[in-house]
Amino acid sequence: MDQLNNILPTDTEDLPPQVRFGERSSAEPPPSLRLKAYPMRLSFVDPRANDPAVQQWLRDRRLGVGASEVATLFGLNPWQTVRELWSLKVNDIPPEPGNELFHFGHEMEDLIGREFELRSGETVAKPHQEIIVGDKPYYRASLDRVIIEEGEEVAALELKNLHEGRYKEYMTCGPSTQYLLQLQYQMAVAGMEYGYLAALFGGQKFGAWRVVASPSLAREIFRRVDEFWSYVESGEMPPEIITGREIVNNGDGVLELTDPGWEEQLRELEELRLKKAKIEKEEKVLKQSLKEALGDASGARAGSMAVSVSVSKRSGLDTARLKEEMPEIIAQYTRETSVKTIRVRSTDRK
């Protein structure tokens, strides 16, 4: 004990200042953690808007059908109709200014291309010409990148920057038909036997697919491009649907599809309709059970699965009341549109 007393200071003034947990050692207030950030109003200006090379490339696109426009000829482009595409080709319509979606898609091409090269071991390069012209001057395709083997461009590489929410869809069901048609047209115009599609999802996940050229599909694409371009050259507005072939009607409005493949496709379509109806029924029941379980909760967790609830308000026009009280207004602002509905049924009698 005596030894311990010799070590400890005897005068309290010699002791270091004692600070208790949670006690401030200074009279100054603590810094506020309610930090502020001020949004900057930075307008987007398309950096390629005044680029002469880009403007020339846009003008050259009017001279033919590009790969990104092929899906329109199959009725599979949700943002463009055949007649809208025709109008772009025959009228001197200035190109719309670029937006941030296309800007960042273009900027990300280098990154996605490098990532594909790193993961696949292929040699990736930019094509030696911006627009490849096929057997006819209006067969035109722009390739994002190409695969090089022994100094030759042997395959097309299409690059996409997509939303993160599409990752599971693509990994389960494959890329969209719209993009696959685009790649098939590129391969057909460039005379390539295969190609790749690489996509970055939300800047976090990467996916790639190898696609083999289909000669029969290439013929169908060229048939539709030929038919569409005949309307461009004549200046006559095309029909709403481009088929690439002549349809012969037997006079009673019923078309006889003689190719045996049609029956198989119609049966498959009917089976898909029934599967869809079953899935929608099961989905409705499960969602209703979930609504009852959630009550007023804003979300729930079940193992690795999570549920979130969002509430939105909708305002709509009371058309029933308007028709009753102001029928003349309804008549003045009503227009008729034609809606084509397809129903498939079996005519087998067993």
Side-chain angles (χ1 to χ4, degrees), residues 85-104:
L85 177 61
W86 172 84
S87 181
L88 291 175
K89 302 298 180 182
V90 300
N91 298 314
D92 189 15
I93 301 176
E96 295 183 359
N99 55 40
E100 290 182 288
L101 176 65
F102 292 103
H103 167 69
F104 285 112

Side-chain angles (χ1 to χ4, degrees), residues 225-243:
V225 172
D226 288 341
E227 180 181 343
F228 171 77
W229 201 253
S230 68
Y231 288 101
V232 174
E233 291 181 333
S234 68
E236 179 186 355
M237 181 175 289
E240 295 180 355
I241 299 175
I242 295 290
T243 63

Side-chain angles (χ1 to χ4, degrees), residues 29-36:
S32 174
L33 294 180
R34 291 182 294 178
L35 305 175
K36 294 182 179 180

Side-chain angles (χ1 to χ4, degrees), residues 72-333:
T72 300
L73 305 185
F74 284 80
L76 295 173
N77 185 349
W79 301 285
Q80 187 182 62
T81 66
V82 170
R83 290 179 173 177
E84 288 172 344
L85 177 61
W86 172 84
S87 181
L88 291 175
K89 302 298 180 182
V90 300
N91 298 314
D92 189 15
I93 301 176
E96 295 183 359
N99 55 40
E100 290 182 288
L101 176 65
F102 292 103
H103 167 69
F104 285 112
H106 177 76
E107 292 297 310
M108 293 294 283
E109 284 184 0
D110 283 340
L111 185 148
I112 301 171
R114 289 197 305 270
E115 192 67 22
F116 178 83
E117 185 174 49
L118 178 65
R119 298 190 183 204
S120 67
E122 300 282 2
T123 301
V124 176
K126 290 186 177 181
H128 69 280
Q129 42 185 333
E130 290 190 359
I131 296 180
I132 298 175
V133 181
D135 296 337
K136 297 179 180 179
Y138 50 85
Y139 292 170
R140 292 172 171 253
S142 300
L143 278 60
D144 291 338
R145 298 292 186 275
V146 291
I147 304 300
I148 304 295
E149 290 184 4
E150 299 180 355
E152 297 291 331
E153 299 179 356
V154 298
L157 174 59
E158 184 65 22
L159 306 172
K160 299 296 181 185
N161 182 36
L162 303 176
H163 189 274
E164 180 187 4
R166 305 195 70 180
Y167 177 74
K168 182 176 289 187
E169 170 197 339
Y170 269 55
M171 299 310 291
T172 304
C173 308
S176 71
T177 304
Q178 182 179 351
Y179 293 153
L180 293 177
L181 281 171
Q182 180 177 347
L183 186 53
Q184 287 287 342
Y185 184 64
Q186 289 173 340
M187 292 186 290
V189 171
M192 296 173 174
E193 296 181 356
Y194 66 99
Y196 297 95
L197 189 148
L200 182 65
F201 300 86
Q204 302 178 47
K205 298 176 181 178
F206 185 85
W209 293 262
R210 188 176 191 271
V211 179
V212 179
S214 169
S216 61
L217 181 56
R219 289 192 294 271
E220 178 64 22
I221 292 174
F222 286 144
R223 271 198 295 265
R224 293 180 185 238
V225 172
D226 288 341
E227 180 181 343
F228 171 77
W229 201 253
S230 68
Y231 288 101
V232 174
E233 291 181 333
S234 68
E236 179 186 355
M237 181 175 289
E240 295 180 355
I241 299 175
I242 295 290
T243 63
R245 56 176 60 81
E246 183 180 358
I247 297 177
V248 179
N249 199 312
N250 60 11
D252 61 356
V254 178
L255 182 66
E256 193 68 31
L257 301 172
T258 56
D259 192 312
W262 273 113
E263 183 176 6
E264 181 181 349
Q265 289 189 48
L266 293 177
R267 289 190 186 280
E268 183 179 356
L269 183 59
E270 174 64 1
E271 290 175 3
L272 289 173
R273 184 189 69 81
L274 295 174
K275 289 179 181 178
K276 179 183 177 182
K278 180 182 178 182
I279 291 172
E280 288 178 347
K281 178 182 177 181
E282 293 176 352
E283 181 187 27
K284 184 177 181 180
V285 171
L286 290 173
K287 280 188 173 181
Q288 182 59 33
S289 298
L290 188 56
K291 286 179 181 179
E292 295 175 0
L294 287 172
D296 295 332
S298 60
R301 286 187 295 270
S304 61
M305 302 300 292
V307 181
S308 61
V309 180
S310 61
V311 179
S312 59
K313 292 184 179 181
R314 296 180 182 178
S315 60
L317 186 66
D318 189 347
T319 55
R321 180 182 173 186
L322 189 61
K323 286 179 181 179
E324 182 180 352
E325 298 182 2
M326 300 180 177
E328 67 284 356
I329 297 296
I330 289 289
Q332 184 178 353
Y333 290 95

